[in-house]
Amino acid sequence: MSNRTEAQRKQYRLSVGLRAMTVALAVFAGGVMVFAAATRRAVPYLTSDEVWENIAFRCPSNPLSPERWEEILSGHRIFTVIVLLLCVAILFRFERVCAQIGADNSFSRENANGFRTMAWLALVTAVVYIVKIVLYAGRCLSGGFDRAAVVVSVIYGSMIVLFLIFAFLCRSLSKLVFNAYEVKLENELTI
């Protein structure tokens, strides 16, 4: 068996492993969405005096009923659908990168563009979460629900940081893959 064939087999195995990881990531993201829905319903409890008495951070707040919380969260499902579509688009682009890796074309312009597209999608997702913080924390603060504003800001702020880190990693990988692609082209031209 030649070295080229062995290298192609390794690339194919890597591609299959990455695709399996993509499916596992999609299943994990679905689980996170279920957990997020449960957490969303728990916010009235998380803002209760019972919970905040144990926290060193003192924050006065009006009692938040589940009904009032649902009013504050009006329009939440629209944002959820937008974030879901953006995440599916990211996973789709990653699957296309995996296909290029499986075709022994790891360092290609297509993969560099794919990572750059994933970075932009992640940035858009972070912006969606910024809008969510402004909208929902603003609604909480205007209603006198300061504790709910803190909880919302921590949850959505965490998501912003996560997507910004992901965007930075994708942008870095895009540049790395593109540089390797240019080196590969130069090597092919000199041979």
Side-chain angles (χ1 to χ4, degrees):
M1 187 176 287
S2 71
N3 286 340
R4 180 77 172 154
T5 306
E6 181 62 28
Q8 288 173 340
R9 285 186 35 203
K10 286 181 181 178
Q11 290 293 109
Y12 178 76
R13 285 193 305 252
L14 177 62
S15 169
V16 169
L18 287 171
R19 284 179 171 164
M21 186 179 72
T22 303
V23 170
L25 188 59
V27 169
F28 175 74
V32 167
M33 291 190 79
V34 169
F35 177 73
T39 303
R40 188 181 80 234
R41 287 189 294 274
V43 168
Y45 171 72
L46 293 173
T47 61
S48 68
D49 290 337
E50 177 183 338
V51 172
W52 282 75
E53 285 175 359
N54 297 321
I55 299 174
F57 179 70
R58 299 286 179 223
C59 181
S61 186
N62 294 331
L64 179 62
S65 68
E67 296 79 25
R68 183 69 176 117
W69 178 240
E70 287 302 319
E71 289 175 23
I72 290 172
L73 281 184
S74 65
H76 186 269
R77 285 182 175 76
I78 294 168
F79 285 112
T80 302
V81 169
I82 292 169
V83 169
L84 177 67
L85 292 174
L86 289 167
C87 289
V88 166
I90 289 170
L91 289 173
F92 177 74
R93 290 301 298 173
F94 186 69
E95 197 283 325
R96 296 196 52 175
V97 167
C98 293
Q100 289 293 319
I101 291 170
D104 197 22
N105 195 20
S106 299
F107 302 116
S108 64
R109 183 179 298 272
E110 293 85 7
N111 279 355
N113 290 340
F115 280 118
R116 189 172 56 246
T117 302
M118 287 189 286
W120 279 109
L121 291 167
L123 281 174
V124 170
T125 307
V127 168
V128 168
Y129 276 106
I130 290 170
V131 170
K132 287 176 83 167
I133 281 182
V134 170
L135 180 65
Y136 296 122
R139 285 181 183 175
C140 290
L141 290 172
S142 68
F145 305 111
D146 297 353
R147 294 175 187 170
V150 170
V151 172
V152 165
S153 297
V154 167
I155 292 170
Y156 292 155
S158 300
M159 296 305 292
I160 291 168
V161 169
L162 179 73
F163 279 103
L164 288 177
I165 289 170
F166 181 75
F168 174 75
L169 290 174
C170 286
R171 184 68 179 147
S172 299
L173 283 172
S174 173
K175 289 181 178 186
L176 179 72
V177 168
F178 188 75
N179 289 343
Y181 167 71
E182 288 181 330
V183 168
K184 184 176 89 169
L185 281 180
E186 288 175 12
N187 287 341
E188 288 174 357
L189 290 175
T190 58
I191 293 176

